[in-house]
């Protein structure tokens, strides 16, 4: 599909990528979303928590499935903003809290990672077998968008109820994104990620002291150190580079069969050039790419409470139902 022209024009202040990225995370407060939690027990003995919110208009057969990014959860403002906009327009919504992200430590040594599409498959299978939605559309943010695109393009037989998908600020090439995050202008973001990831590792070390050593965790000074120590090996990869290579969603785009939109801002400081899959989309009949000039990373601020990515999600879902 050709690259779509974008109509997104934020206020002047929010044309700065860092302002667009930081403001929604620190200052946005989304109200009016009432979530009900469901715990999904998994066959491997672990669990995933699902946060449901419901249409404010009428009973519906339309469901939006949303997936958070790195160190996110179902209560992040970008998740709540999307849920609110869908709920206000006749959609139920379920926010997936990936393993170890719902506020309770998961039971197994493994947790979540950028390629954990098998967990999304478990959730979708549960929804299809337990509920009567005829239109299930998906929205993944950042790392969650990479997981979603991988899920859609791995060649599994998707339920016919899945109609459309949108990925927002997706690091389609994980290693390229990591190199970008390592640049000096992203230092504060990088340190914040490292702080949160290491805190999770110290929790895990207390559960599994024979596998993880506190000194090894302490010596991690970068995201790739953490991925070499834990993320890759806990999930079946020999090292971080193999993990990034095998889990990057760009290679799976050619096999996505449902209408899918990737919304990646040009001034997203987390995305390198390889994260904009122009060539792959040009060869696809189902995948669309929109590259607004502005938006930052999971930003897309607009002054009317409803952000551009939320408008775009609803519009795309409704067009493709």
């Amino acid at each position: 599909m050709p690259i779509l022209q974008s109509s997104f024009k934020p206020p002047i202040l929010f044309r700065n990528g860092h302002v667009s990225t930081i403001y929604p995370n620190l200052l946005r407060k989304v109200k009016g979303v009432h979530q009900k939690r469901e715990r999904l027990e998994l066959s491997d003995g672990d669990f995933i928590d699902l946060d449901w919110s419901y249409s404010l208009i009428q009973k519906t057969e339309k469901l939006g499935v949303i997936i958070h990014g790195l160190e996110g959860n179902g209560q992040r403002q970008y998740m709540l903003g999307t849920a609110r906009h869908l709920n206000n327009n006749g959609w139920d919504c379920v926010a997936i809290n990936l393993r170890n992200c719902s506020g309770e430590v998961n039971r197994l040594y493994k947790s979540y990672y950028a390629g954990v599409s098998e967990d999304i498959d478990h959730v979708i299978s549960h929804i299809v077998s337990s509920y009567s939605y005829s239109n299930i559309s998906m929205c993944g943010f950042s790392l969650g968008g990479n997981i979603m695109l991988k899920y859609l393009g791995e060649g599994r037989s998707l339920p016919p109820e899945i109609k459309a998908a949108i990925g927002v600020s997706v690091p389609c090439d994980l290693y390229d994104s990591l190199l970008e995050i390592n640049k000096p202008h992203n230092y504060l973001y990088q340190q914040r990620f490292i702080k949160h990831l290491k805190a999770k590792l110290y929790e895990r070390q207390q559960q599994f002291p024979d596998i993880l050593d506190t000194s090894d965790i302490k010596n991690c000074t970068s995201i790739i150190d953490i991925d070499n120590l834990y993320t890759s090996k806990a999930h079946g990869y020999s090292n971080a580079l193999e993990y990034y290579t095998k889990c990057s969603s760009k290679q799976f785009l050619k096999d996505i069969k449902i209408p899918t939109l990737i919304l990646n801002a040009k001034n997203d400081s987390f995305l390198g050039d390889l994260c904009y899959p122009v060539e792959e989309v040009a060869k696809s009949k189902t995948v669309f790419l929109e590259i607004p000039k502005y938006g930052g990373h999971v930003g897309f601020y607009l002054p009317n409470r409803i952000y551009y990515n939320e408008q775009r999600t609803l519009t795309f879902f409704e067009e493709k139902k």
Side-chain angles (χ1 to χ4, degrees):
M1 289 292 180
I3 297 175
L4 301 179
Q5 293 297 312
S6 182
S7 63
F8 177 54
K9 293 182 179 180
I12 291 175
L13 177 63
F14 289 89
R15 296 178 188 180
N16 179 286
H18 294 297
V19 173
S20 288
T21 300
I22 293 169
Y23 178 87
N25 283 281
L26 295 184
L27 297 175
R28 189 185 191 193
K29 302 296 179 186
V30 176
K31 298 180 180 179
V33 181
H34 304 286
Q35 293 177 320
K36 180 180 179 181
R37 178 157 291 186
E38 175 189 10
R39 174 154 294 184
L40 175 60
E41 295 288 342
L42 303 174
S43 58
D44 62 9
D46 217 338
F47 65 90
I48 289 176
D49 286 330
L50 309 175
D51 292 329
W52 292 82
S53 59
Y54 299 97
S55 168
L56 299 181
I57 299 176
Q58 60 191 8
K59 185 175 176 59
T60 181
E61 293 185 352
K62 299 183 293 186
L63 176 69
V65 177
I66 55 178
I67 311 167
H68 62 77
L70 181 65
E71 289 304 284
N73 55 51
Q75 287 68 54
R76 286 296 172 94
Q77 300 306 301
Y78 59 83
M79 297 282 281
L80 295 175
T82 300
R84 180 176 65 184
H85 193 48
L86 290 174
N87 293 161
N88 287 342
N89 287 276
W91 289 70
D92 289 350
C93 192
V94 60
I96 300 175
N97 295 278
L98 298 171
R99 300 191 199 212
N100 208 36
C101 292
S102 65
E104 182 177 335
V105 179
N106 67 305
R107 300 168 188 149
L108 303 183
Y109 183 64
K110 66 179 182 178
S111 58
Y112 78 102
Y113 64 103
V116 66
S117 52
E118 63 272 17
D119 281 0
I120 306 304
D121 191 36
H122 287 314
V123 172
I124 295 297
S125 296
H126 166 68
I127 291 170
V128 169
S129 63
S130 303
Y131 302 94
S132 56
Y133 294 104
S134 60
N135 179 349
I136 300 173
S137 293
M138 304 177 69
C139 176
F141 294 92
S142 192
L143 177 139
N146 187 81
I147 297 168
M148 180 195 73
L149 294 174
K150 181 173 178 283
Y151 162 77
L152 294 173
E154 284 181 310
R156 59 172 51 83
S157 179
L158 297 178
E161 291 87 351
I162 298 181
K163 304 299 184 184
I166 176 170
V168 180
S169 302
V170 184
C172 298
D173 187 299
L174 295 170
Y175 186 56
D176 191 50
S177 176
L178 176 78
L179 294 177
E180 202 68 25
I181 291 173
N182 283 345
K183 291 182 178 179
H185 64 270
N186 284 321
Y187 178 79
L188 293 178
Y189 303 123
Q190 182 196 55
Q191 292 305 306
R192 186 168 182 265
F193 283 135
I194 293 170
K195 177 182 177 181
H196 286 285
L197 290 167
K198 288 178 72 170
K200 288 279 188 73
L201 281 186
Y202 282 122
E203 286 183 340
R204 195 157 299 283
Q205 191 278 332
Q206 292 180 2
Q207 283 184 294
F208 301 95
D210 294 335
I211 306 176
L212 267 180
D213 188 272
T214 54
S215 62
D216 291 334
I217 300 172
K218 185 178 180 179
N219 289 333
C220 290
T221 60
S222 66
I223 294 174
I224 195 168
D225 286 345
I226 293 169
D227 289 339
N228 272 318
L229 173 67
Y230 170 73
T231 316
S232 59
K233 293 179 175 61
H235 302 103
Y237 303 97
S238 58
N239 54 41
L241 189 58
E242 183 188 22
Y243 159 49
Y244 302 145
T245 300
K246 291 188 175 179
C247 292
S248 291
S249 60
K250 187 164 65 173
Q251 63 195 301
F252 300 103
L253 299 182
K254 67 183 187 305
D255 294 315
I256 292 179
K257 306 300 182 185
I258 65 166
T260 299
L261 172 64
I262 300 171
L263 180 66
N264 281 2
K266 189 65 177 175
N267 69 345
D268 187 331
S269 66
F270 292 9
L271 304 183
D273 291 342
L274 298 180
C275 292
Y276 300 88
V278 175
E279 294 182 7
E280 289 79 6
V281 170
K283 299 174 184 177
S284 173
K285 296 181 179 179
T286 55
V287 181
F288 302 80
L289 177 62
E290 181 177 340
I291 309 176
K293 187 175 181 180
Y294 310 110
H297 190 74
V298 193
F300 302 102
Y301 170 88
L302 284 176
N304 62 352
R305 291 201 326 153
I306 305 167
Y307 282 21
Y308 179 71
N309 62 286
E310 295 156 11
Q311 295 179 359
R312 202 68 185 87
T313 296
L314 178 65
T315 301
F316 194 76
F317 284 4
E318 293 287 356
E319 286 175 349
K320 306 304 177 183
K321 66 183 179 182

